[in-house]
Amino acid sequence: MPDAQRGNVQVDTLVEQEDNAATPQAVDAPAQEATSAEAVSATEKPEATAPKAEKPEVEEPKPAKRVKSTAKKTRTVELTLTVTGTADGEWQADLVHGTRRIVSGLSVPAAAVARAAKELHEDIANEIEVVVEAAREQHRSRMEELEAELAKVKQALAELND
């Protein structure tokens, strides 16, 4: 391209031409200097020297579409079962579905709690067994106290009947 036409080319094209001019294919250095000067003047006042050319539209890459899974979606149900025991060996169960209370304060036998714990996991069963055993021991001692008291009452009744 002749130097006179180079001044009328868009700015990014001038940069490209400068890169081409710096390659070993360029014939003379004064022409390169003139091209650089024209590029600087064209970048300073692009409206005055260069008509606006249409920029090629750059299409942005579209994100890849998601492929739908063929796996069956599992539906989860949130149920919370709370089992509460006392030292006396009384157990209660509460059941909550989401935020709605289904069962509250339902009495449950200690044996049923122990069986259920064994079914769930050994660690759970061991901890519940400790609580159940403590309740058994407490009931045994209470039973011994009551049997001793009953023996005293029977003896007092026998003395009154004589």
Side-chain angles (χ1 to χ4, degrees), residues 44-80:
E44 291 174 358
K45 298 178 186 177
E47 304 86 48
T49 57
K52 292 188 177 182
E54 290 185 26
K55 292 184 179 180
E57 291 184 22
V58 178
E59 292 185 23
E60 295 181 15
K62 294 181 181 178
K65 292 184 178 180
R66 282 188 148 179
V67 177
K68 290 189 177 181
S69 174
T70 57
K72 184 178 179 182
K73 293 182 181 177
T74 57
R75 181 175 167 225
T76 58
V77 177
E78 181 182 339
L79 286 173
T80 305

Side-chain angles (χ1 to χ4, degrees), residues 77-110:
V77 177
E78 181 182 339
L79 286 173
T80 305
L81 174 64
T82 306
V83 179
T84 309
T86 64
D88 295 334
E90 296 176 12
W91 293 86
Q92 292 184 345
D94 297 325
L95 182 65
V96 178
H97 182 236
T99 58
R100 191 173 137 236
R101 184 170 300 276
I102 306 297
V103 176
S104 179
L106 179 67
S107 292
V108 181

Side-chain angles (χ1 to χ4, degrees), residues 107-118:
S107 292
V108 181
V113 172
R115 283 192 308 271
K118 286 178 186 175

Side-chain angles (χ1 to χ4, degrees), residues 20 30 40 43 48 51 58-60 76 79 119 121 136 155 159:
N20 289 341
V40 170
T43 57
V58 178
E59 292 185 23
E60 295 181 15
T76 58
L79 286 173
E119 290 291 323
H121 196 273
R136 283 185 192 129
Q155 184 180 5
E159 289 176 2

